[in-house]
Amino acid sequence: MRQRILARLGDIPLRWRLTAWYVLLLAVILGGFSAFIYINMSLSLKKGLDAVLLSQGEQVLSSMDTENGRPRLDPNLSLLPGTYFAFYDANGKIVSTNLPADLAARIPVAGLAGNQPVTVETPGTEWRVLLVPVREQGQQAYRVLVARSEEEAENPLDRLLLFILIAIPLTLVLAAGGGFFLARRALSPIDHIAAKARRISATDLQRRLDLPHGNDEVGRLVATLDEMLDRLDRAFQRQRQFTADASHELRTPLAVIRSQAEAVLQRRHSPGEYRQALEVIRDQTEWMGNLVAKLLILARSDDSQEQLEREPLDLGDLVAGVTAEFQGMAADKGLLLKTRIKDQLSIQGDQTRLTQLLANLVENAIKYTPAGEVIITLERSGREALLQIQDTGVGIPAEHLPHIFERFYRVDKARSRAEGGFGLGLAICDWIARAHGGRITVESTLGRGTTFKVRLPLE
């Protein structure tokens, strides 16, 4: 039930919900403020009425004298209009009064506390009365009662209540109209954003919102959405390029395998010819297997599914191991493979992946160095370990350096294909470095050599 209610509320346009919340909040504020004003005014008016009663009582007492043992009021006494009084003897009988008959009959003189205003109800009217005892020679001689109608306090309260009951609904109606106008005006850019966003599809990510915006919330939203579209566009372009390149790479070995299979099926061959065809098929499937394995690594890295097995790792031992592995390959080409371990450094890393990174860089350095040397250097650089693989090879043209870590990117496609490269090795190296919280950069001079620098955070 609750979910259905929330779902229905979610179908209400946002401008209506904002207006409703605005009006509800304003109603609570106005109601609370009005109640505060009404209560305070009621207390103030009652205090004022009691102050008038006390003043009138003192005035009556000051103008009284006795004649033949009976209290007598000064005939020249001028009381406020609406003030009534009564004199009671010691036995509680009325001696003199101008009280209305119904009020005089309902006043419980014996139960009233002296000098304390109280409320007495009569049909149609409520009265505020004050009883003042008068003592002579230590004995209570008589009592004076002063009364005024509470209408003089209730009438202003009634007018205030009427004003509140008219003003608050009128204010809420005006606020609802104004709130809806402001909400629609504030949300109109969102409508424009939604309309433009609907026209942008996965095949047309080059379009942008291109809406005028400032530094407010809507402006930042437009800027963020445009930046997101830029990232999506680049991601889709990489995906399309990745798919096209992978298809292109797989098409050639598949064509070779198919041609070999068709050739051996067309007629009978000698055992040697069959063996040769099967060896070609084996080499091509092995080549495709390596390609698929590298594609799987990159695909998992994109989805953050490729987990690293981190452990304490001595980088000096890692460099020594990889160097020993490639000494034979370097000697076959007449190259000198050297290491310079300046500091003993340890990190938390995945030994398999870091070995793969270093091996790939060393193999590339040997592969593209016709003569000279390859030097692997390990040293501390601040809070990072710095690995440098420097060669004296052919170098990389400057226009290729910004793209060297892109997938399937090759500087020399013809030679790379002949040597069995996929154009994925450096992309995998870049991912391994970033997965360890580090980074990889390249510096190269055409004809003089290349230096790859890998920076990894130390423990």
Side-chain angles (χ1 to χ4, degrees):
M1 181 67 181
R2 181 181 179 184
Q3 292 181 347
R4 288 199 298 270
I5 293 174
L6 292 176
R8 291 179 179 177
L9 290 176
D11 294 336
I12 301 175
L14 181 58
R15 57 174 57 91
W16 285 109
R17 281 184 280 163
L18 287 175
T19 303
W21 280 111
Y22 170 69
V23 172
L24 178 62
L25 178 61
L26 183 60
V28 171
I29 293 174
L30 289 177
F33 181 73
S34 298
F36 175 78
I37 294 296
Y38 184 87
I39 293 173
N40 276 272
M41 186 173 179
S42 175
L43 294 175
S44 177
L45 289 172
K46 286 186 176 180
K47 287 181 180 179
L49 180 58
D50 290 345
V52 171
L53 283 176
L54 290 172
S55 174
Q56 294 288 279
E58 292 175 356
Q59 189 174 353
V60 169
L61 288 175
S62 64
S63 63
M64 286 180 55
D65 57 8
T66 56
E67 181 178 345
N68 299 323
R70 296 173 64 87
R72 184 177 68 85
L73 190 63
D74 186 354
N76 296 322
L77 175 64
S78 177
L79 296 175
L80 292 176
T83 298
Y84 298 91
F85 65 91
F87 296 104
Y88 295 86
D89 60 17
N91 297 321
K93 293 183 179 180
I94 296 178
V95 177
S96 175
T97 184
N98 65 349
L99 292 175
D102 56 347
L103 175 59
R106 288 178 176 268
I107 295 178
V109 178
L112 293 180
N115 297 317
Q116 186 67 36
V118 295
T119 299
V120 176
E121 295 184 5
T122 62
T125 308
E126 291 184 349
W127 298 85
R128 195 70 171 167
V129 299
L130 174 67
L131 184 66
V132 182
V134 178
R135 296 181 179 276
E136 293 181 352
Q137 298 178 355
Q139 301 259 339
Q140 179 173 297
Y142 50 88
R143 283 172 286 185
V144 178
L145 183 137
V146 182
R148 290 186 65 86
S149 172
E150 289 192 355
E151 288 185 355
E152 60 181 281
E154 293 176 351
N155 289 338
L157 286 177
D158 292 341
R159 290 193 296 270
L160 175 62
L161 182 60
L162 179 62
F163 174 78
I164 289 174
L165 293 177
I166 295 176
I168 288 183
L170 182 61
T171 302
L172 293 179
V173 170
L174 295 176
F180 181 78
F181 172 77
L182 292 176
R184 185 175 63 178
R185 186 178 181 85
L187 294 175
S188 60
I190 307 297
D191 293 334
H192 293 308
I193 292 173
K196 284 212 166 189
R198 289 191 202 97
R199 294 195 289 268
I200 298 175
S201 64
T203 58
D204 189 24
L205 288 174
Q206 293 183 350
R207 298 180 64 178
R208 297 294 177 266
L209 297 177
D210 292 330
L211 292 172
H213 56 80
N215 195 32
D216 57 2
E217 289 80 358
V218 175
R220 290 194 291 272
L221 174 62
V222 172
T224 301
L225 289 176
D226 280 338
E227 292 172 0
M228 181 190 68
L229 289 172
D230 287 335
R231 293 193 298 272
L232 286 175
D233 188 23
R234 290 194 297 270
F236 271 85
Q237 288 179 1
R238 287 196 302 269
Q239 183 185 45
R240 287 192 291 266
Q241 186 65 39
F242 184 80
T243 304
D245 290 339
S247 301
H248 176 75
E249 294 293 333
L250 290 170
R251 185 170 54 214
T252 300
L254 286 173
V256 172
I257 292 172
R258 181 175 180 178
S259 65
Q260 291 292 322
E262 290 177 347
V264 298
L265 289 173
Q266 286 177 356
R267 61 181 177 83
R268 290 181 178 275
H269 294 271
S270 65
E273 290 174 330
Y274 282 119
R275 181 179 182 83
Q276 182 181 5
L278 289 174
E279 287 177 350
V280 172
I281 292 174
R282 180 199 63 192
D283 293 341
Q284 294 299 318
T285 54
E286 183 179 353
W287 192 91
M288 285 193 300
N290 291 334
L291 174 60
V292 171
K294 291 188 175 182
L295 290 176
L296 182 61
I297 291 174
L298 292 173
R300 286 180 173 177
S301 69
D302 288 341
D303 293 337
S304 299
Q305 295 180 359
E306 189 71 14
Q307 301 295 327
L308 299 180
E309 297 181 3
R310 296 180 182 270
E311 58 181 340
L313 183 62
D314 189 316
L315 288 179
D317 293 342
L318 178 70
V319 171
V322 173
T323 303
E325 181 181 347
F326 283 94
Q327 284 291 356
M329 180 179 179
D332 291 341
K333 292 192 67 174
L335 301 178
L336 183 61
L337 180 58
K338 299 188 299 185
T339 60
R340 294 175 182 171
I341 301 176
K342 299 180 180 181
D343 301 290
Q344 291 296 326
L345 304 174
S346 297
I347 67 169
Q348 284 286 337
D350 187 314
Q351 182 174 359
T352 301
R353 292 304 179 197
L354 289 175
T355 300
Q356 182 181 9
L357 180 152
L358 185 57
N360 197 356
L361 295 178
V362 173
E363 183 181 9
N364 283 347
I366 296 173
K367 186 184 300 184
Y368 296 111
T369 303
E373 61 183 9
V374 175
I375 302 173
I376 306 173
T377 304
L378 174 63
E379 60 184 337
R380 179 187 294 270
S381 176
R383 296 184 178 180
E384 295 177 322
L386 175 60
L387 269 170
Q388 297 187 81
I389 298 87
Q390 183 178 6
D391 64 59
T392 57
V394 296
I396 303 172
E399 64 270 18
H400 294 288
L401 291 177
H403 310 285
I404 200 70
F405 297 107
E406 294 178 4
R407 299 171 185 183
F408 292 108
Y409 190 84
R410 297 192 184 98
V411 176
D412 188 343
K413 293 181 171 57
R415 182 170 60 182
S416 181
R417 175 65 185 173
E419 295 179 357
F422 304 113
L424 296 175
L426 290 179
I428 292 176
C429 290
D430 180 57
W431 165 72
I432 293 173
R434 287 186 290 103
H436 282 82
R439 61 192 183 281
I440 181 171
T441 57
V442 60
E443 298 173 359
S444 184
T445 303
L446 193 61
R448 298 183 61 181
T450 303
T451 300
F452 282 91
K453 296 181 179 181
V454 181
R455 298 178 185 273
L456 299 170
L458 294 170
E459 284 187 302

